[in-house]
Amino acid sequence: MAINMNYRIVMCFILVTLSTKMFSQDNAPHLKGKVNISIKEGTFECDLTLSNIPRIKDYLIRLNSGMNLLHIRSKKPNNFVLGYDKSDKDSTSTGESSAYYFPGNAKNTKFLPEELQFRYVGKFPVANDTIDSFSKQDWKGNIAFNGMSVRSDGRQSAWYPIIYDAKKDISYNRVVYDIEFNCTDCSTIYANGNKPVSSSSAHLISNEPQEIALYFGNYEFIDDGNIAILNPKFPDEKIKQFSILVSSYKKYYEQKLNIKFNQTPTFINTTPTSKKNSWLFVSYPTIMGIGWGKHGLAGVFEEASQKFYKPLIAHELGHYYFGTIKVFNSELGGMMSEGFTEYMALKLTEENQTEKNYDEVLAKKMENLKDFKPNSFSMVKSITDISDRQTYLYDYAPIIFIAIEKEIGKKKMWEWLKNILETKVEFTNYDFLVSTLKNTLKNDKKLELIINDYFNNVNSTQNAIKKITEK
């Protein structure tokens, strides 16, 4: 996960450990029940039943470590309270969650009922001022109460039970849901897959699988049909300009990839539980902007900082494709999700801002790579082979892709991205990367050049920079 720095925006779009397959209503788990929340007390009280559970032998069930279980009950095939164990080897878990499983009768086996009821409560700190009541850090997977609201993503925080296939590296965080939400000290309730509701209670249903990101609290919202903004403390004219900007970015991606956006992007403006952390993250269609003043979503609406924020918004919207339409796993999954999304944001910057802005962004990325010695793509055999994740995903990978674009042209590059999005495989690994490029190019000589210079070369960074900067 990205570490938040003092008043520094850090892109935190970590989407690793996700499936390569689009979830359909048929194979996504179903979640039904009741959730009671208090933003003043910092509490969750949940009674949730998980059904349509995929038949997995080597599974884990992730649930936020701050949630205290009353019980997990098998509803099918029999109605009884289960004993469970915890795994300390859930290496892909980000630390916020505990990993549960039910031991089978035979040694080293697991039992997984068809339907499970989870009853649990959680109490979390409420950071309601910046003098005495604040935390040292805030981050994406935090279930964050700031006194006026609570925000949570779904996958990383695991506020609801998430089935994880350890063998295939698939996290079933997108669920079909039918949940009665109550928050007596809230005026507005929002969950991914539904419009915000002006009420302290709401029965929300999504028949399409969603990662259930939440934002409950006391705030207003707007929805102009193109974008929604929750807690919009910005001038109307600025909001209109932002809506036009987002519309143009969506249109650009849709034209390049010939794939339409299917939900309204929902931007959330909120503050961190800490004094200084600021960042953006996406749990599509939700894009959360966390920060104080111009260091949060407000920076989008200020002229002085728009040059910086526009590429971030472009990146966030790009995650509809790389991270939502196509989700990634294996050791290179994070690189593909972030690297290709950042590449698309660079192309949008090149064509929609000034050439100077584009050149400045490229120069900064190349400067960040000055003393960086990465393993090239073919050398990455596990996630531990990526030593500096931030630099590898957001600087190294997109620079490699820009160099490949110089080799094959922009048209072929967009064809490759579309091929990646449409090719169904079990693991999005190095072989997948090469095979999709091979199928796009249909030119073995050119493919061999790219592999030798960029995919399998200790001097891949230098080769890429030389290609990009050559006249």
Side-chain angles (χ1 to χ4, degrees), residues 174-361:
R174 298 188 201 179
V175 297
V176 172
Y177 68 83
D178 180 344
I179 301 175
E180 295 180 27
F181 289 103
N182 294 284
C183 181
T184 56
D185 44 15
C186 296
S187 64
T188 307
I189 288 175
Y190 171 77
N192 256 4
N194 276 271
K195 299 288 187 182
V197 179
S198 295
S199 178
S200 60
S201 63
H203 186 178
L204 301 182
I205 298 172
S206 176
N207 292 319
E208 293 297 323
Q210 305 283 347
E211 175 191 352
I212 315 179
L214 302 179
Y215 185 56
F216 289 15
N218 296 304
Y219 60 86
E220 302 294 328
F221 60 88
I222 65 161
D223 184 344
D224 67 2
N226 180 51
I227 61 169
I229 302 180
L230 279 54
N231 196 26
K233 298 183 177 180
F234 317 113
D236 291 344
E237 184 59 31
K238 294 288 186 181
I239 292 174
K240 182 179 179 181
Q241 292 173 6
F242 181 58
S243 180
I244 293 171
L245 178 75
V246 172
S247 179
S248 70
Y249 285 7
K250 288 164 59 181
K251 184 177 180 180
Y252 175 84
Y253 288 145
E254 288 173 345
Q255 289 176 339
K256 293 295 184 182
L257 295 168
N258 197 28
I259 300 172
K260 295 286 188 181
F261 280 79
N262 70 344
Q263 294 184 61
T264 301
T266 300
F267 293 85
I268 292 176
N269 174 45
T270 188
T271 57
T273 60
S274 60
K275 280 186 174 183
K276 298 181 179 180
N277 293 136
S278 304
W279 79 105
L280 302 168
F281 74 80
V282 59
S283 297
Y284 195 82
T286 299
I287 298 172
M288 293 206 187
I290 299 109
W292 296 100
K294 66 180 181 180
H295 301 285
L297 193 63
V300 174
F301 301 92
E302 296 194 12
E303 295 292 337
S305 54
Q306 279 189 355
K307 183 177 75 171
F308 176 76
Y309 271 94
K310 285 180 178 179
L312 295 183
I313 297 301
H315 183 109
E316 296 286 14
L317 291 170
H319 271 307
Y320 170 64
Y321 298 96
F322 286 85
T324 306
I325 281 182
K326 185 78 171 183
V327 283
F328 296 82
N329 64 1
S330 82
E331 61 278 357
L332 287 177
M335 180 281 294
M336 293 185 211
S337 179
E338 298 303 330
F340 283 116
T341 301
E342 186 65 4
Y343 168 80
M344 293 200 304
L346 283 168
K347 295 296 97 180
L348 197 154
T349 298
E350 181 184 28
E351 296 188 28
N352 287 271
Q353 295 189 39
T354 66
E355 184 178 346
K356 181 181 178 182
N357 287 351
Y358 176 69
D359 290 341
E360 286 176 352
V361 175

Side-chain angles (χ1 to χ4, degrees), residues 403-409 412 437-438 440-455 467:
I404 293 172
E405 175 204 293
K406 296 286 186 180
E407 301 281 3
I408 69 177
K412 279 293 181 184
L437 182 57
K438 177 182 175 67
T440 301
L441 293 178
K442 295 180 173 60
N443 183 327
D444 290 343
K445 185 176 180 180
K446 180 64 73 174
L447 177 67
E448 184 179 3
L449 182 151
I450 290 170
I451 291 173
N452 290 338
D453 284 0
Y454 307 114
F455 286 2
K467 186 65 181 180

Side-chain angles (χ1 to χ4, degrees), residues 361-372 395 465:
V361 175
L362 281 189
K364 179 62 176 176
K365 290 185 182 298
M366 289 188 281
E367 176 65 22
N368 292 342
L369 295 173
K370 185 177 180 181
D371 299 315
F372 187 58
D395 297 318
I465 292 174

Side-chain angles (χ1 to χ4, degrees), residues 107-121:
K107 185 177 180 180
N108 297 324
T109 63
K110 297 177 180 179
F111 165 62
L112 182 59
E114 298 174 29
E115 189 172 313
L116 291 164
Q117 179 191 33
F118 297 79
R119 292 185 62 189
Y120 54 91
V121 296

